[in-house]
Amino acid sequence: KDKRPPDLEKKSLHLAGRLLEMCGHSQKGEGETLALRQLESGAALQKMQEIMQLQGSANAKVDSDALTVGAKTYRVFAERSGVIRGVDSTAITDIARACGAPFEKLSGVHIHARYGQRVTKGVQLYTLYAASDERLRLGKKVAETRSIFDIH
C-alpha cells in the first residue's frame, strides 16, 4: 500500500528483521532488508492471509481500503499546540475495546496524528468508531480519562 504510515512501517520492519535474525532465517544485520523485500513483494500479506485463514477467519482476503467503519463516530482534537512526544498504545487498546473492538467489526480508533508530529490546538488527533450509541458513549468515557498522545 502506498498510504501506509512510514513510522509504523519502520518499527514493524525493525521488529520483523530482529525476529528473522533470531530465528535463523537471515544473517545478523540483514533481517530488516529481508523483511522489507517480503513486504514489498506481497509475500508478507500473503502469509498474514494464510494465518488468518488457519485461525478461522471468514474473510482472510481483507483489504484495508475495503474496510467499513461504524456508523457512530466521535472526533478528538488537540487541546493544545506542541509536538507529540509520546503515544500510549495501551490507551488506544482500551479506547478501541470500549468502542467494541475487536468483537464488533465496525468499531475501533483511527489515529490521524503521528509521533514527532507538530500539532496545533484544535487539529484532529483521532476518531472513535462504534456500531451503537452505547458503545460510542463508552469509548468517549474512556477517551476522557486516558490520553493517547503526550503533547509538549
Side-chain angles (χ1 to χ4, degrees), residues 24-76:
H25 292 288
S26 72
Q27 296 294 321
K28 185 170 174 66
E30 296 176 8
E32 213 167 307
T33 302
L34 176 58
L36 178 61
R37 278 199 311 258
Q38 296 295 313
L39 179 66
E40 291 177 339
S41 72
L45 176 62
Q46 183 178 358
K47 181 54 75 175
M48 182 187 77
Q49 290 170 337
E50 287 175 24
I51 292 168
M52 289 170 64
Q53 190 171 18
L54 289 170
Q55 291 177 338
S57 174
N59 190 4
K61 297 290 184 181
V62 69
D63 183 322
S64 61
D65 290 334
L67 290 176
T68 304
V69 295
K72 309 297 180 181
T73 64
Y74 178 76
R75 300 184 308 164
V76 177

Side-chain angles (χ1 to χ4, degrees), residues 107-122:
S107 303
V109 179
H110 179 189
I111 304 295
H112 302 286
R114 299 282 179 243
Y115 177 82
Q117 179 181 345
R118 177 170 293 286
V119 296
T120 56
K121 182 178 180 176

